[in-house]
Amino acid sequence: MLKKIILSILSGLALSLSWPPNINFTFLIFLSLVPLFILENSQKDNKLNLRNFYIYIYLAFFIFNTCTTLWVRHAHFAGAIFAILCNSFFMTFVFFLYHKIKNIIKWRSPFFLLPILWISFEYLHLNWDLSWPWLTLGNVFSGHPLWVQWYSITGVLGGTLWVFLINLLFFKL
């Protein structure tokens, strides 16, 4: 249990530290989801029940959302709390949905499904009334425009795909 809490906290802190204005730690984004993949993989082996899995994933995204968007409290405290709680829920729900679909379909290598679900979530999140584009994963490179000149072709969601592919690669290694 302690190992799973540490993985959650590690993921949340890595996501937070990689975010602007922490320009010197942007590289952490490429490792930040690996602890969550480890947690999801341990759920596959029935070492973790579904409720606890959800709580561990939520903890990581709660830390990330709190550290990166707590500044909103200066404008509206209740709005900040709402944004942090809801966005943490939405992000966790994507992992939860991935886990459920993966176990229903029983694909041999379902890892391509998570980036598709996440990018779909971000696309929806950019285009509905509760839009919150600040934490779109591709925005992490805003302090490094030379890294993402190809955004003119793919947009910020291409950066999200890049983040997921590198994290999945490190997880597989």
Side-chain angles (χ1 to χ4, degrees):
M1 181 169 126
L2 182 61
K3 178 184 173 188
K4 291 169 180 56
I5 291 172
I6 291 170
L7 286 170
S8 297
I9 292 170
L10 190 64
S11 182
L13 290 176
L15 281 162
S16 301
L17 288 173
S18 66
W19 217 255
N22 300 318
I23 294 171
N24 293 331
F25 297 112
T26 304
F27 68 92
L28 288 175
I29 195 67
F30 295 118
L31 301 170
S32 61
L33 298 174
V34 173
L36 298 182
F37 297 154
I38 293 169
L39 279 171
E40 198 284 327
N41 199 45
S42 70
Q43 174 63 21
K44 175 184 78 173
D45 298 333
N46 294 323
K47 295 178 186 170
L48 192 61
N49 73 42
L50 208 50
R51 183 182 53 111
N52 288 345
F53 168 70
Y54 191 89
I55 290 169
Y56 293 133
I57 300 296
Y58 188 87
L59 175 61
F61 288 125
F62 179 77
I63 291 169
F64 171 51
N65 277 271
T66 301
C67 290
T68 55
T69 59
L70 194 58
W71 58 269
V72 175
R73 79 183 187 286
H74 297 298
H76 194 278
F77 186 76
I81 299 300
F82 179 78
I84 290 167
L85 294 175
C86 286
N87 206 45
S88 300
F89 169 78
F90 295 144
M91 291 175 164
T92 303
F93 184 73
V94 174
F95 265 80
F96 183 77
L97 188 61
Y98 162 71
H99 177 74
K100 295 300 277 181
I101 292 172
K102 183 184 87 163
N103 287 335
I104 290 170
I105 296 178
K106 304 252 190 246
W107 284 324
R108 185 185 141 134
S109 185
F111 283 109
F112 73 92
L113 183 61
L114 184 56
I116 291 171
L117 290 171
W118 191 274
I119 290 170
S120 299
F121 152 69
E122 285 188 352
Y123 181 81
L124 171 70
H125 214 28
L126 291 170
N127 293 293
W128 69 331
D129 288 339
L130 290 176
S131 179
W132 190 248
W134 173 252
L135 296 182
T136 300
L137 290 180
N139 283 337
V140 73
F141 305 111
S142 65
H144 302 282
L146 293 176
W147 292 12
V148 290
Q149 291 299 303
W150 44 274
Y151 273 25
S152 61
I153 299 167
T154 66
V156 71
L157 297 178
T160 297
L161 180 61
W162 185 31
V163 168
F164 265 94
L165 292 177
I166 299 299
N167 271 277
L168 287 169
L169 179 66
F170 278 120
F171 173 68
K172 284 297 194 176
L173 291 176

